[in-house]
Amino acid sequence: MLRPTIDFLLHDWLRADSLVDRPRFADHSRETFGSVLDASERLAREKFAPFNRLIDIEEPRFDGEKVILPQATHDAWKAFGESGMLSAAQDYEIGGMQLPYTVEAAANAFFAKASVGIGGSLLTVGNANLLMAHGTEAQKQVFALNEFSGRWSGTMCLSEPQAGSSLSDVATRAVPDGDDFEADPLGPRFRLTGNKMWISAGEHELTENIIHLVLAKIPGPDGKLVPGTKGISLFVVPKKLVGTDAQLTGERNDVALAGLNHKCGWRGTTNTLLNFGEGRFKPGGRAGAVGYLVGRPGEGLRCMFHMMNEARIAVGLGAAMLGYAGYEASLAYARQRPQGRPITEGGKDAAAPQVPIIEHADVKRMLLAQKAFSEGALALGLYCARLVDEQHTGTPQAAAEAALLLEVLTPITKSFPSQWCLEANSLAIQVHGGYGYTRDFPVEQYWRDNRLNMIHEGTHGIQALDLLGRKVVMQGGAGLKLLATRINETIERAGHADGLAEFATQLGAAVQRLGAATKSAWATGVPEEALANATPYLQAFGHVVIAWIWLDVALAARDADTARREGTLAACRYFYAYELPLVDAWLKVVSAREAVCREMHDEWF
């Protein structure tokens, strides 16, 4: 089911094949795009999907010297690296395919659906992309290119045990390494000391080396760390030291595994506490992790957000695929599970044969909800990927508009799938009944895997603060206005389409209420009042965006085959009937600047 849906979204809706008219993608065609999807689908089916349960049961373990992972994980990583997908969007000159990000994102969806716990490519690609954007030429050649090839892997090291998501409280220190620290060919050389928590793929033996991107602060002349985020710098810290020829020097950097975190989901990926500079290893004969400055001092967070925004889109797509996996599993179960009998005017006929549960209206409700959430989230993720291509290869005006839309939509692309595709996974369990919460069926694992995504790459509440506190008010609300313009273009087209005009009217009213609530939230100009209800605002905003996406997709589906057309229309109808009305309740507390949450006292709980 996934491949036809992706093909429809890519070509019938997003018109991805039109990208081949641009110089960067001129060597490609719809056929080459299809070949990439074919190869990815096959690799995911053969090397990832069969081992999804295995990697959930056989969690990573540390034997005192190294982390032990199932052989299947090693095989999958090797196969993925050899496939070329790590560098799919990169230039030919560095071994890439120069694929549109839209196609790369669609291809990666197969791996997320097959086994999100095996994959670590998200962080490696993001790490390498950041270095390509902000690193020196030597950092690109030595670190980024070897990540793109699959020889090395990458991480992002932000959180700390005492700071969590509050990056202004980062305490990892970076001090110049000797009088000649600025002369190192790999970049200004520092020694780092500190601890980093929740580091995915932070320690393993899957690749020859691990390249950590680490946020740390350079002390001021008084030896103290600069308060806040302005003092944060970014460093590339390899697990094993390397030379300018990208060969291992044989010396281990002072980065040590302090412990493995055992999670409810994503169990196939190591999640670590790392100690930097504790002295377990002594490069150059002394303690301190060797790191090379990326960009300028104090600009680490700006650089890191390059990677974080990519990661947020990828997390959203991964959450969508987990929702989709549960949807497929519960749909298959509902079609073959006989239970109950239809209700007729005379009641139930106990002598009649049982019917498959998919014939019951309430089961159809749960399946429609899953379809609406997961396919809607997938469509939004691919739309944002298309915006990335527009940002990089479009006309100056189109690129600027795409960048602005991405600012507004990235929090939604990450948060909506993380919340509502988790709900889809819960409904998948419900469709299975008692079997759903057993390990005999895969849906309980999908739920556990997906539960992490509301926390990954910025928690739900942080996405909400980012949206209402920054994105919709930046540049005088330019991003929100541009999004409203795009939505209104869809409303205008749908208003003249049979069967869609009613939805267009509903969406237009919802957009107006969202705009009014945004103004009401900020009416007093007091951030504490506006942002106390940022999460309900995020949820309302997300539902309006997905309603728009479904209406736009429904317009594209008018010329599709009967099953695609009617299935799309039914999912759209479901979302407008059951989900869009929820927006009013969320916006009510936003508009009123409801104070109960911020005024609640600790001792009253």
Side-chain angles (χ1 to χ4, degrees):
M1 289 194 336
L2 177 58
R3 178 60 185 275
T5 298
I6 283 181
D7 284 341
F8 166 74
L9 292 174
L10 283 182
H11 301 298
D12 297 276
W13 180 50
L14 293 174
R15 306 293 178 187
D17 41 332
S18 67
L19 289 169
V20 303
D21 296 331
R22 301 182 181 185
R24 179 168 181 81
F25 310 124
D27 293 338
H28 287 291
S29 64
R30 180 165 179 166
E31 288 69 33
T32 62
F33 293 164
S35 296
V36 170
L37 296 179
D38 288 343
S40 297
E41 186 177 18
R42 182 172 58 254
L43 181 58
R45 182 175 61 247
E46 295 175 355
K47 295 291 186 179
F48 285 69
F51 309 104
N52 193 44
R53 177 62 79 185
L54 172 71
I55 59 97
D56 183 63
I57 296 170
E58 295 186 17
E59 291 187 69
R61 68 182 192 278
F62 184 55
D63 69 358
E65 294 294 329
K66 61 183 182 295
V67 171
I68 308 298
L69 290 165
Q71 183 60 41
T73 303
H74 288 261
D75 295 341
W77 273 58
K78 184 174 184 291
F80 190 87
E82 292 174 347
S83 74
M85 283 304 298
L86 287 166
S87 58
Q90 300 303 312
D91 296 346
Y92 294 133
E93 289 74 14
I94 64 171
M97 304 182 200
Q98 283 189 202
L99 273 178
Y101 179 56
T102 311
V103 178
E104 180 189 17
N108 282 330
F110 294 110
F111 298 100
K113 176 175 173 286
S115 181
V116 74
I118 288 179
S121 61
L122 179 159
L123 293 173
T124 297
V125 172
N127 179 308
N129 282 342
L130 183 151
L131 290 172
M132 294 300 289
H134 301 288
T136 65
E137 195 58 36
Q139 289 169 349
K140 296 175 189 178
Q141 292 294 322
V142 173
F143 299 115
L145 297 196
N146 282 291
E147 291 181 82
F148 284 135
S149 73
R151 179 186 172 199
W152 299 342
S153 58
T155 74
M156 54 191 294
C157 300
L158 289 78
S159 297
E160 298 181 2
Q162 83 293 340
S165 299
S166 181
L167 297 181
S168 61
D169 295 311
V170 161
T172 298
R173 302 169 66 92
V175 298
D177 185 21
D179 294 335
D180 63 343
F181 78 100
E182 292 182 303
D184 196 295
L186 292 179
R189 189 181 64 251
F190 287 73
R191 292 279 181 152
L192 278 68
T193 55
N195 315 101
K196 292 294 180 177
M197 186 63 157
W198 314 118
I199 310 307
S200 294
E203 179 58 37
H204 54 73
E205 303 294 323
L206 296 168
T207 54
E208 180 186 68
N209 205 357
I210 302 174
I211 309 304
H212 303 290
L213 284 175
V214 184
L215 292 182
K217 292 183 177 181
I218 302 171
D222 59 358
K224 296 180 180 179
L225 300 181
V226 178
T229 59
K230 292 182 179 179
I232 296 176
S233 300
L234 179 64
F235 301 87
V236 56
V237 183
K239 171 184 172 180
K240 300 173 182 177
L241 295 181
V242 301
T244 54
D245 59 356
Q247 298 302 309
L248 302 183
T249 65
E251 194 168 22
R252 176 73 185 263
N253 204 358
D254 195 6
V255 183
L257 176 68
L260 292 172
N261 298 310
H262 298 282
K263 306 163 293 177
C264 73
W266 285 60
R267 289 176 173 172
T269 302
T270 57
N271 189 276
T272 62
L273 169 61
L274 298 178
N275 290 344
F276 291 82
E278 70 173 1
R280 180 175 178 185
F281 305 98
K282 294 184 169 58
R286 63 190 185 87
V290 175
Y292 308 97
L293 182 68
V294 178
R296 292 186 293 185
E299 295 192 356
L301 209 53
R302 181 182 68 85
C303 295
M304 186 62 90
F305 268 107
H306 182 108
M307 182 177 181
M308 288 175 67
N309 285 331
E310 281 185 31
R312 285 171 176 172
I313 294 174
V315 165
L317 278 168
M321 286 301 91
L322 284 167
Y324 200 96
Y327 167 53
E328 279 194 349
S330 60
L331 177 60
Y333 181 84
R335 283 172 168 165
Q336 60 83 33
R337 168 65 170 171
Q339 185 172 305
R341 295 160 181 85
I343 301 175
T344 65
E345 290 183 4
K348 292 184 179 181
D349 180 2
Q354 295 191 88
V355 297
I357 62 172
I358 198 170
E359 294 189 22
H360 301 309
D362 195 55
V363 173
K364 292 178 183 178
R365 174 189 64 81
M366 292 187 282
L367 292 169
L368 269 170
Q370 292 177 69
K371 180 179 176 67
F373 294 149
S374 60
E375 289 188 11
L378 170 61
L380 175 60
L382 293 178
Y383 178 82
C384 286
R386 184 67 173 77
L387 289 177
V388 171
D389 286 324
E390 201 65 37
Q391 184 182 7
H392 291 157
T393 64
T395 64
Q397 180 179 349
E401 289 185 355
L404 192 56
L405 283 171
L406 279 169
E407 290 282 4
V408 176
L409 288 176
T410 296
I412 303 302
T413 308
K414 192 271 179 185
S415 65
F416 180 91
S418 299
Q419 179 176 7
W420 296 101
C421 291
L422 178 69
E423 174 61 19
N425 289 139
S426 181
L427 290 170
I429 293 173
Q430 193 70 24
V431 169
H432 281 75
Y435 292 108
Y437 50 73
T438 71
R439 291 198 173 189
D440 298 318
F441 289 82
V443 287
E444 60 85 26
Q445 183 183 342
Y446 296 145
W447 187 93
R448 287 187 288 105
D449 284 342
N450 220 351
R451 186 59 189 85
L452 277 64
N453 286 320
M454 284 182 71
I455 298 172
H456 275 159
E457 308 307 331
T459 66
H460 212 56
I462 286 174
Q463 303 301 323
L465 293 172
D466 182 43
L467 179 67
L468 183 56
R470 287 201 296 256
K471 299 301 175 62
V472 299
V473 296
M474 63 186 287
Q475 300 178 32
L480 183 57
K481 292 173 186 174
L482 178 58
L483 178 61
T485 298
R486 295 291 175 90
I487 294 175
N488 284 326
E489 289 170 357
T490 299
I491 290 171
E492 176 66 24
R493 289 189 293 126
H496 302 288
D498 289 342
L500 299 179
E502 179 185 352
F503 303 146
T505 300
Q506 286 180 254
L507 181 58
V511 171
Q512 289 183 342
R513 291 194 293 273
L514 181 65
T518 306
K519 292 178 181 178
S520 295
W522 285 103
T524 63
V526 180
E528 185 184 15
E529 293 183 8
L531 299 178
N533 295 295
T535 293
Y537 180 84
L538 176 80
Q539 293 172 171
F541 202 111
H543 266 53
V544 170
V545 166
I546 295 297
W548 164 53
I549 291 291
W550 268 116
L551 186 58
D552 210 66
V553 170
L555 283 165
R558 287 179 297 168
D559 298 325
D561 62 78
T562 301
R564 172 70 55 190
R565 182 181 66 251
E566 295 302 322
T568 299
L569 181 61
C572 182
R573 181 180 168 190
Y574 172 88
F575 199 85
Y576 277 77
Y578 286 81
E579 295 297 327
L580 191 58
L582 300 176
V583 165
D584 289 344
W586 290 323
L587 291 182
K588 182 178 180 181
V589 295
V590 175
S591 298
R593 297 184 299 282
E594 172 57 54
V596 63
C597 294
R598 62 187 175 85
E599 291 179 349
M600 181 67 177
H601 288 202
D602 182 355
E603 60 271 19
W604 297 348
F605 282 104

